[in-house]
Amino acid sequence: MKTLLQLSAVTKSFGAVRALKGVSFDLHAGEVHALLGENGAGKSTLIKVITGAHQLDGGSIEINGERVARLTPASAHQLGIACIYQQPALFPDLTVAENIGLRLEPMSALRKVNWVTRRQRAKELLKRIGAEILPDAEVRSLSMPEQQLVEIACALGAGARIVIMDEPTASLTHKEQHLLFAVVKDLRASGVGVVYISHRLEEIFQLADRVTVLRDGQSVGTNKVSEINESGMIKLMVGREVSTIYPPSESETGNVVLSLKKLGCASCGVKNISLDVRAGEIVGMAGLVGAGRTELARVLFGIMPADSGEILLNGQLITISTPKEAVAHGIAYVPEDRRRHGVILEMPIAHNMTMAIHDRVFPGAWLRCGAEKQIALDLIRDLAVKAYGPEAPGGSLSGGNQQKVSLARWLATKPKLLILDEPTQGVDVGAKSEIHKIIRRLAKEGLAVLMISSDLPEVLGMSDRIAVMRGGTITAMLPAKTDAHEVMAVALGQTENGAAK
Amino acid sequence: MKKHFREFSVAAALAFVLLGLAIFAPAFFQPQPLLSLLTREAPTLLVACGMAFVIISRQIDISVGSQFAVCSVCVGLLAAKGWSLPLVFIASVSMGAIMGAFNGCLVAGLRLPSIVVTLATMVTWREALRWQRQGEFVNLPDGLQWLGLSQVMGQWTLILAALVLLALLALATKHLSAGRFVYAVGTDAEAARLAGIRPQLTTFSVFVFMGALVGLAAMMNVVQSPQVDPKSGSGLELKVIAAAVVGGVAVSGGRGKLWGVFFGLLLLACISPALTHLHIEAYWEKAIQGAIILLAVVADGLRTRKQRN
């Protein structure tokens, strides 16, 4: 069988983070090769290396048996590599034919467009994959799977021999999936190599010939799908012990602080959430990207208000429709993307820290400089923020210290419930363990903590209880001493251990 | 010092120009023309301060010139009707605030881009005024000019009033929570919202405040002459935006200081008299002002690029 793509010992680092630590991967003509791994295992980075979006640091890439020294998006395109993303990257205001034309026609500014051939080609390509889409339809009016089909048509038209599909079925219905699978099988039959990424194990068994599992930036095994079962795959995905030392759980849990009863928000896909969080308790939220964890946090913080169910805070029924109300109720939310929404990089950290407590530093609307400085100094000392002083701008701090500032802003509000969204994402190991200690200490002081994390060892190491989300709802509540295998099985929707409801 | 480098460099540029004038054209420093120059710029300073807030909150208001004209004519008509000075004053400020609120409703309420909204209101107010007045000047009653004081006293009053207001506004920016809101919303509206600040309310208030300051400035301008020109304030928006940008207010929002704007305005304002005194043709004025603005923007661009790396 002809090898289309051969990656050998590929490494890639971003700053201090080593995203790929020597990954080897190969793709034959006429096969579907599935790529599997937890969030953050390095799948996206690997794809971006193959499509030329990232330059590799070490290792080599061979395409069609020839070594490629420097792969750029343009040269990858020429070598017949195409990638279909979960969110199609089409121009919504242009027609299907125009979108296909933009991809396939030569890129010169003063080129005469031949509308007849452009439309003709679009029609033929769409027919080849069996899609009933009009070339003159505006892309905006197409459904998500139809847009993906347009992407596939582009890939075909470009003569792609290597097609990468990144979670193509994530937003598809059952029927649409079948349509897509038929197209993928056709592609395979015509000798195209498909790299298929999905979290849905059943799809991999239906579709793939081989599967490679990535973990922590390394490939931990390539198997024929016929020679491995689901359990074996999950074992490969998580297969590691909780390596870091986590602070022990020694807090005594108190009263129920937050109680959710059948909470739902139709517009953000969260439904039927029932959950209790007690004072002094850390509840970890596990699940795959897109399972609805961040959405739940946003509902609780009033960013996207709930439209069904009840929220009880300390036994009182409350409604939360804006972040301001959430803050007034004593809810704090440390958002996922600290560089975007957590810390204002241009502002001094003192201003950042007092941003949610303006009524305290501006009593009677007039700033008490001394009070603000004192609050900032206390928080800096308390959380061991490394900065030259309260007036240092947020942007001058390292990632871990920025995260501490983001946390400090919310601690200053003296909350009852603290929601953390990926509290240690992109933070170095030292700061990570410091943040873990702070979170544990806060719980010990009686705070109720809801911690969303895609870092499975972190969830396992920190949580007193683990809520696993899938498809916008909580599918299981697991005790603290659950093993990774079981959490992952529930997150993936497997029910073999009887843990999932 | 490092933190205020941008503002200091504008002040230094102004000092440099003044020093040059002291050597080559000492006539520039004759008290009466200088006093007139400062009096003329006093209302502009207030509008520039308002504009600084608007730009810091990452918006723009190009309708200030038209608002200024509407307020000026209102002042004239009401004064001619025999309203007393304090009443006219209140009417002018309210008139400006209402026009600002109109912009604010559209920008903050409907989340429309401020450049388009204020472009529309700029044209609308200006044309409505032209239709109403047909270009006719309004004659003011005697007691109004220079607030009923002697000319020199009136000039000093206006200059001092503007300076006191500048100082108060600068203090308020630092010490009022509202000031902090403006900076926070201008840098990252979403982060501000997550911290419990209401970005739309902040934006709305900034526009209302801008309008109120325009009303005040119009009042201060009207009392300088015996008549009200219905075309007054044309080009004002460009002048104050230029002053803000030269003074170090970042067009991308979230950064800027009022005292920087003050120096920026003075720097731009003394170009024209300086040229006269140096016997350079007045045609050069706009070119030099343009060059200064360009220099400021380029300096900011280089600075942010350096910070990013």
Side-chain angles (χ1 to χ4, degrees):
Chain A
M1 214 182 292
K2 196 182 159 211
T3 303
L4 291 176
L5 175 71
Q6 173 83 52
L7 301 179
S8 315
V10 168
T11 58
K12 174 76 196 171
S13 302
F14 299 98
V17 181
R18 292 175 66 204
L20 297 178
K21 307 169 189 167
V23 173
S24 298
F25 181 83
D26 63 332
L27 180 70
H28 301 313
E31 76 160 349
V32 176
H33 193 154
L35 198 57
L36 197 61
E38 279 184 84
N39 306 326
K43 287 171 301 188
S44 311
T45 314
L46 188 65
I47 295 169
K48 284 184 176 158
V49 166
I50 299 173
T51 56
H54 286 334
Q55 299 301 318
L56 41 82
D57 296 338
S60 67
I61 303 183
E62 281 177 28
I63 292 170
N64 295 324
E66 277 176 49
R67 186 168 171 166
V68 183
R70 196 184 138 79
L71 198 61
T72 62
S75 66
H77 186 74
Q78 277 176 352
L79 288 164
I81 297 173
C83 185
I84 290 142
Y85 295 98
Q86 191 180 337
Q87 302 290 329
L90 298 168
F91 299 98
D93 291 311
L94 301 184
T95 66
V96 172
E98 283 170 320
N99 267 288
I100 295 177
L102 271 174
R103 296 280 182 87
L104 302 184
E105 290 163 18
M107 285 285 183
S108 55
L110 297 173
R111 170 178 59 85
K112 189 176 175 299
V113 172
N114 188 334
W115 283 95
V116 180
T117 47
R118 175 181 274 190
R119 205 173 283 127
Q120 192 57 39
R121 167 151 62 180
K123 214 169 167 179
E124 277 166 19
L125 286 171
L126 291 168
K127 203 175 154 197
R128 245 173 87 192
I129 57 170
E132 288 169 15
I133 301 171
L134 293 174
D136 293 325
E138 243 180 51
V139 165
R140 189 183 291 286
S141 68
L142 301 183
S143 67
M144 198 61 91
E146 285 177 326
Q147 295 191 20
Q148 276 172 344
L149 290 176
V150 173
E151 288 266 5
I152 295 172
C154 288
L156 270 181
R161 306 295 298 156
I162 299 169
V163 175
I164 302 161
M165 302 179 115
D166 188 1
E167 292 205 54
T169 56
S171 50
L172 302 195
T173 64
H174 206 63
K175 204 178 135 199
E176 292 163 348
Q177 268 183 40
H178 279 286
L179 187 67
L180 186 78
F181 285 3
V183 173
V184 173
K185 282 173 183 162
D186 276 355
L187 286 177
R188 171 168 62 189
S190 65
V192 171
V194 178
V195 180
Y196 191 88
I197 293 147
S198 177
H199 283 309
R200 300 184 182 179
L201 298 185
E202 68 272 14
E203 285 179 7
I204 290 173
F205 283 101
Q206 274 182 40
L207 209 56
D209 303 297
R210 289 193 297 162
V211 56
T212 292
V213 177
L214 287 187
R215 189 209 306 152
D216 292 339
Q218 283 169 317
S219 47
V220 290
T222 301
N223 294 82
K224 285 207 167 121
V225 169
S226 53
E227 292 167 1
I228 189 170
N229 61 12
E230 289 189 0
S231 182
M233 274 192 213
I234 295 174
K235 198 172 266 170
L236 280 175
M237 280 169 77
V238 292
R240 80 189 125 165
E241 297 306 307
V242 177
S243 50
T244 334
I245 310 291
Y246 287 91
S249 161
E250 49 196 19
S251 35
E252 286 174 25
T253 51
N255 297 330
V256 175
V257 172
L258 177 78
S259 180
L260 307 176
K261 296 203 162 51
K262 294 194 183 304
L263 190 73
C265 169
S267 59
C268 56
V270 171
K271 52 190 187 264
N272 200 16
I273 302 267
S274 295
L275 177 73
D276 284 348
V277 188
R278 291 171 177 277
E281 183 183 41
I282 300 174
V283 174
M285 301 283 290
L288 300 167
V289 168
R293 296 169 303 160
T294 296
E295 287 73 13
L296 174 62
R298 291 169 71 86
V299 169
L300 287 179
F301 201 60
I303 300 165
M304 311 183 84
D307 53 18
S308 64
E310 295 177 352
I311 304 172
L312 281 86
L313 199 70
N314 284 332
Q316 300 262 319
L317 186 66
I318 57 166
T319 55
I320 306 168
S321 45
T322 61
K324 204 177 165 69
E325 283 175 35
V327 176
H329 281 303
I331 298 176
Y333 172 51
V334 179
E336 178 176 22
D337 193 350
R338 70 170 168 274
R339 293 185 77 86
R340 276 280 292 118
H341 305 316
V343 177
I344 295 188
L345 301 180
E346 291 86 345
M347 273 195 169
I349 54 178
H351 295 195
N352 265 300
M353 285 174 169
T354 58
M355 216 162 128
I357 50 162
H358 275 124
D359 20 341
R360 246 169 65 215
V361 289
F362 292 93
W366 196 253
L367 174 71
R368 288 164 65 187
C369 271
E372 174 168 61
K373 198 171 173 192
Q374 196 53 51
I375 290 172
L377 282 172
D378 287 348
L379 285 165
I380 288 171
R381 199 186 50 231
D382 203 25
L383 302 184
V385 179
K386 289 181 196 75
Y388 64 77
E391 61 286 342
S396 68
L397 272 57
S398 70
N401 283 301
Q402 283 179 12
Q403 187 67 19
K404 286 184 190 173
V405 171
S406 183
L407 193 59
R409 173 189 301 164
W410 292 107
L411 295 185
T413 66
K414 302 203 162 60
K416 301 180 194 112
L417 172 72
L418 178 64
I419 306 169
L420 300 164
D421 197 349
E422 305 287 0
T424 59
Q425 197 175 56
V427 164
D428 65 89
V429 185
K432 195 167 170 175
S433 107
E434 279 181 58
I435 290 172
H436 287 152
K437 279 184 196 135
I438 295 167
I439 296 171
R440 181 45 78 186
R441 194 188 75 210
L442 293 170
K444 212 167 143 187
E445 288 165 9
L447 201 61
V449 181
L450 198 59
M451 186 186 76
I452 298 167
S453 175
S454 294
D455 184 352
L456 199 49
E458 179 175 84
V459 173
L460 296 171
M462 290 294 297
S463 311
D464 296 311
R465 283 188 300 145
I466 300 162
V468 186
M469 284 192 77
R470 177 175 161 81
T473 194
I474 295 178
T475 51
M477 283 301 304
L478 304 171
K481 299 287 174 243
T482 314
D483 66 33
H485 185 272
E486 198 174 333
V487 175
M488 185 49 76
V490 177
L492 287 164
Q494 307 302 311
T495 52
E496 51 184 342
N497 293 341
K501 284 173 201 163
Chain B
M1 174 69 200
K2 197 182 157 198
K3 214 166 118 192
H4 302 290
F5 178 75
R6 181 66 174 75
E7 283 77 17
F8 276 121
S9 58
V10 182
L14 179 65
F16 181 75
V17 170
L18 292 180
L19 191 71
L21 284 169
I23 296 166
F24 296 106
F28 175 82
F29 291 98
Q30 283 169 351
Q32 196 48 49
L34 200 58
L35 198 58
S36 300
L37 172 71
L38 291 176
T39 318
R40 265 202 314 278
E41 296 303 328
T44 320
L45 176 64
L46 295 188
V47 182
C49 286
M51 188 58 80
F53 289 128
V54 173
I55 298 178
I56 290 169
S57 71
R58 208 186 274 179
Q59 302 290 348
I60 193 85
D61 186 346
I62 54 173
S63 69
V64 288
S66 302
Q67 291 181 10
F68 189 85
V70 171
C71 290
S72 299
V73 170
C74 272
V75 167
L77 291 175
L78 292 177
K81 268 192 181 164
W83 286 35
S84 68
L85 196 60
L87 278 180
V88 173
F89 173 82
I90 292 168
S92 176
V93 172
S94 324
M95 190 69 209
I98 290 168
M99 285 187 285
F102 187 76
N103 285 335
C105 278
L106 293 169
V107 173
L110 298 180
R111 310 198 179 198
L112 302 175
S114 52
I115 179 111
V116 184
V117 168
T118 57
L119 177 67
T121 50
M122 169 175 99
V123 178
T124 312
W125 304 145
R126 181 69 69 187
E127 293 306 307
L129 195 63
R130 180 146 70 184
W131 172 67
Q132 173 67 29
R133 295 302 302 164
Q134 307 283 337
E136 198 185 327
F137 281 52
V138 186
N139 289 314
L140 290 174
D142 288 337
L144 200 64
Q145 200 183 1
W146 303 118
L147 304 159
L149 304 166
S150 73
Q151 183 176 349
V152 178
M153 281 302 288
Q155 285 179 327
W156 276 112
T157 312
L158 291 180
I159 293 169
L160 282 179
L163 288 178
V164 167
L165 257 164
L166 172 74
L168 285 178
L169 286 176
L171 260 178
T173 327
K174 185 152 188 259
H175 289 273
L176 282 185
S177 50
R180 189 73 60 81
F181 293 171
V182 173
Y183 282 87
V185 169
T187 331
D188 190 336
E190 184 59 19
R193 192 166 77 98
L194 290 181
I197 295 170
R198 295 166 68 185
Q200 304 306 322
L201 182 64
T202 308
T203 307
F204 174 77
S205 313
V206 165
F207 275 99
V208 174
F209 192 63
M210 170 89 250
L213 279 178
V214 171
L216 186 58
M219 183 78 201
M220 288 175 67
N221 188 50
V222 165
V223 297
Q224 296 184 23
S225 47
Q227 283 182 320
V228 179
D229 180 355
K231 288 196 297 296
S232 63
S234 51
L236 180 66
E237 60 281 347
L238 297 181
K239 213 167 158 182
V240 294
I241 293 171
V245 170
V246 170
V249 176
V251 185
S252 51
R255 193 167 55 77
K257 297 214 164 43
L258 289 188
W259 60 278
V261 177
F262 172 67
F263 287 123
L265 181 69
L266 284 187
L267 181 61
L268 290 174
C270 64
I271 299 296
S272 162
L275 292 182
T276 319
H277 285 289
L278 293 171
H279 307 292
I280 301 170
E281 278 183 282
Y283 301 117
W284 284 100
E285 186 197 347
K286 293 290 168 202
I288 292 175
Q289 286 185 346
I292 293 175
I293 297 168
L294 214 56
L295 190 71
V297 177
V298 169
D300 283 345
L302 291 177
R303 211 170 97 117
T304 39
R305 226 175 63 176
K306 204 171 123 194
Q307 274 174 355
R308 213 173 292 143
N309 293 337

